[in-house]
Amino acid sequence: MKKAIAEILAAPIPQKMARNRFRGLLRYGILNLIRLKRRIKSNSTRPEYYLSVCAIAKNEGPYVREWIEWHRSHGVEKFFIYDNESTDDTKTILEPYIKSGVVDYTFFPGISRQLAAYDDCIERHRFSSRWIAFIDLDEFIVPVRDESIPAFLRRCESFSAVEVNWLIYGSGGRREKTPGKVMERFRFHATEDHPLNRMVKSIVDPRRVCSMIGCHEAARISGRACDSHLLPVRRHFRNRPAQHDVIRINHYAVKSYEEFLGKKARGRARGRIRNRTEEYFFQYDLNDIEDT
């Protein structure tokens, strides 16, 4: 009911960014916002972590170790992983990271649970991390100009959220799954100006957002979002050029054709509707430029 009311009230707002933000605030609830602002104002706890990552996993066992180690090596201290009914060895592979405290693991069953997982993460860890990045297990944050992701984020601290663009990587013509790491096996990506690269994922200050709007944007309580050039976001991400020269997110949406079929079969944490099709593979199988 709350979601339906938010959609109705936000619909007349012509500017998409403003409409999305208003929709997110309404979904959270006005009374909840008032209470949250009081909580934030009265809480002076120093965050335990500077940068954490939140992700929802569904049968990502073969890839999760590489994904964690890549981000650890680039400055991520904590991972909040929500397991959406995985039936593979995801939990077993995560066990050492769970025991060491690197991963906070939550079994999160149900349909269409991605946004619920993100919102749960913000509520539970609002005061424990300075920044939380919301990405998927096939997305790798790559700092281009800086030696680490935190080094980039320290320049963004006046903003409530940072929107980082995708760079889509294709199959490279591989039909079958072969041994090796994802980032080593797939080295061909889309042209810089491809429209799919305009999509973003957000790294947010959890004290200045109340929830996520879809899986790309945050509903900000205060402050502004910026792009990777540290410019305030004034246009919706679909309506501005992608930026890859400072920081980017390598998105390995399909991998090999065999791996895509496995991804298609296991479904999506976002729900059973709009499952990936053959058309999805050809849409994301972009191999225009090879990494050097």
Side-chain angles (χ1 to χ4, degrees):
M1 179 63 72
K2 186 183 293 186
K3 180 178 178 180
I5 293 173
E7 294 293 331
I8 293 170
L9 293 178
I13 300 175
Q15 212 272 348
K16 188 169 185 177
M17 282 175 51
R19 183 169 67 248
N20 283 352
R21 183 188 179 194
F22 187 55
R23 181 188 294 120
L25 295 175
L26 287 175
R27 286 179 183 174
Y28 191 77
I30 302 303
L31 290 178
N32 289 335
L33 274 173
I34 294 171
R35 296 188 193 102
L36 177 58
K37 287 183 177 182
R38 289 173 180 167
R39 281 178 56 212
I40 293 170
K41 188 174 182 180
S42 63
N43 193 310
S44 58
T45 304
R46 183 175 181 177
E48 184 177 0
Y49 311 106
Y50 187 75
L51 173 60
S52 303
V53 167
C54 176
I56 187 164
K58 192 175 185 71
N59 294 329
E60 299 280 0
Y63 311 106
V64 67
R65 183 181 289 111
E66 176 189 357
W67 181 84
I68 288 176
E69 292 300 335
W70 168 268
H71 288 101
R72 288 185 75 187
S73 71
H74 288 83
V76 176
E77 300 165 86
K78 188 76 172 183
F79 298 84
F80 305 118
I81 296 184
Y82 290 75
D83 186 348
N84 185 222
E85 302 182 14
S86 293
T87 55
D88 65 357
D89 57 354
T90 295
K91 178 70 182 299
T92 301
I93 293 171
L94 288 175
E95 201 62 45
Y97 297 109
I98 297 170
K99 289 181 178 178
S100 67
V102 172
V103 167
D104 184 301
Y105 174 89
T106 303
F107 185 68
F108 212 66
I111 300 171
S112 298
R113 298 291 279 160
Q114 184 173 27
L115 294 184
Y118 287 176
D119 290 346
D120 181 78
C121 182
I122 292 174
E123 289 298 325
R124 289 174 56 193
H125 305 291
R126 191 180 300 280
F127 301 107
S128 63
S129 190
R130 176 62 179 81
W131 295 99
I132 302 177
F134 292 89
I135 59 175
D136 294 332
L137 273 290
D138 59 3
E139 298 171 340
F140 292 71
I141 304 174
V142 179
V144 177
R145 288 191 187 175
D146 299 279
E147 62 182 15
S148 70
I149 306 166
F152 163 74
L153 289 172
R154 293 189 195 283
R155 301 197 299 275
C156 307
E157 292 186 350
S158 62
F159 293 95
S160 304
V162 185
E163 296 185 359
V164 183
N165 284 105
W166 277 353
L167 181 59
I168 304 294
Y169 279 72
S171 69
R174 294 172 182 259
R175 300 290 295 178
E176 298 178 352
K177 181 180 180 181
T178 55
K181 295 180 177 179
V182 170
M183 298 185 80
E184 294 172 354
R185 291 190 292 133
F186 304 103
R187 303 184 60 82
F188 288 85
H189 60 75
T191 57
E192 300 286 322
D193 60 352
H194 194 284
L196 282 176
N197 289 333
R198 295 183 181 183
M199 301 294 283
V200 300
K201 287 298 179 75
S202 291
I203 307 175
V204 311
D205 176 353
R207 297 187 187 218
R208 289 192 277 180
V209 304
C210 61
S211 62
M212 293 297 292
I213 308 166
C215 58
H216 301 281
E217 303 169 273
R220 291 169 283 107
I221 305 168
S222 62
R224 302 197 67 172
C226 71
D227 60 23
S228 64
H229 290 174
L230 275 66
L231 297 174
V233 170
R234 302 183 187 281
R235 290 185 292 166
H236 189 263
F237 58 80
R238 293 182 185 273
N239 300 319
R240 60 182 195 261
Q243 301 169 345
H244 300 123
D245 56 332
V246 178
I247 192 170
R248 69 176 191 252
I249 293 176
N250 287 10
H251 187 197
Y252 301 91
V254 295
K255 304 182 182 73
S256 67
Y257 184 68
E258 179 184 352
E259 288 166 283
F260 163 73
L261 292 179
K263 187 175 187 177
K264 176 184 175 184
R266 69 177 177 257
R268 312 177 76 166
R270 289 174 62 183
R272 292 177 182 168
I273 59 171
R274 295 193 305 168
N275 274 344
R276 300 172 182 91
T277 63
E278 295 286 319
E279 183 181 350
Y280 179 96
F281 179 84
F282 294 114
Q283 180 184 12
Y284 282 84
D285 187 22
L286 302 172
N287 305 283
D288 302 289
I289 300 171
E290 183 179 9
D291 280 340
T292 56

